[in-house]
């Protein structure tokens, strides 16, 4: 009877391990998804906006110090 209980516990551990492996695979798949259009747009907009502010500051600095 003890061997049967151990075998059932082993089977339950194997099922749990398989579920965890499946969840890990799912999480990895979701992490590989490309960014949405709006997130790419927002990141690009911020980069361009900050670049324009920096360029404006540099131009203003050189214009002021002529």
């Amino acid at each position: 009877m003890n061997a049967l209980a151990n075998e059932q516990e082993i089977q339950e551990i194997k099922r749990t391990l398989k579920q965890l492996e499946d969840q890990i695979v799912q999480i990895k798949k979701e992490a590989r998804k490309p960014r949405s259009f709006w997130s790419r747009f927002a990141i690009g907009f911020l980069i361009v906006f900050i670049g324009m502010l920096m360029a404006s500051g540099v131009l203003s600095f050189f214009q002021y110090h002529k």
Side-chain angles (χ1 to χ4, degrees):
M1 182 129 181
N2 193 13
L4 182 60
N6 286 339
E7 184 63 31
Q8 288 176 341
E9 288 179 19
I10 291 172
Q11 291 301 320
E12 181 62 32
I13 290 170
K14 286 181 180 181
R15 280 193 295 272
T16 304
L17 183 59
K18 179 65 176 151
Q19 288 174 346
L20 289 173
E21 288 173 346
D22 292 342
Q23 288 175 351
I24 290 170
V25 168
Q26 184 66 27
I27 290 170
K28 285 183 179 180
K29 284 181 183 178
E30 289 175 1
R32 290 188 191 135
K33 288 182 181 176
R35 290 188 176 109
S36 71
F37 169 76
W38 290 110
S39 63
R40 287 183 294 160
F41 176 80
I43 292 169
F45 180 82
L46 285 174
I47 290 170
V48 170
F49 185 73
I50 291 170
M52 288 176 60
L53 285 176
M54 290 174 63
S56 174
V58 169
L59 291 174
S60 296
F61 176 79
F62 284 123
Q63 193 174 34
Y64 178 75
H65 290 288
K66 270 188 174 178

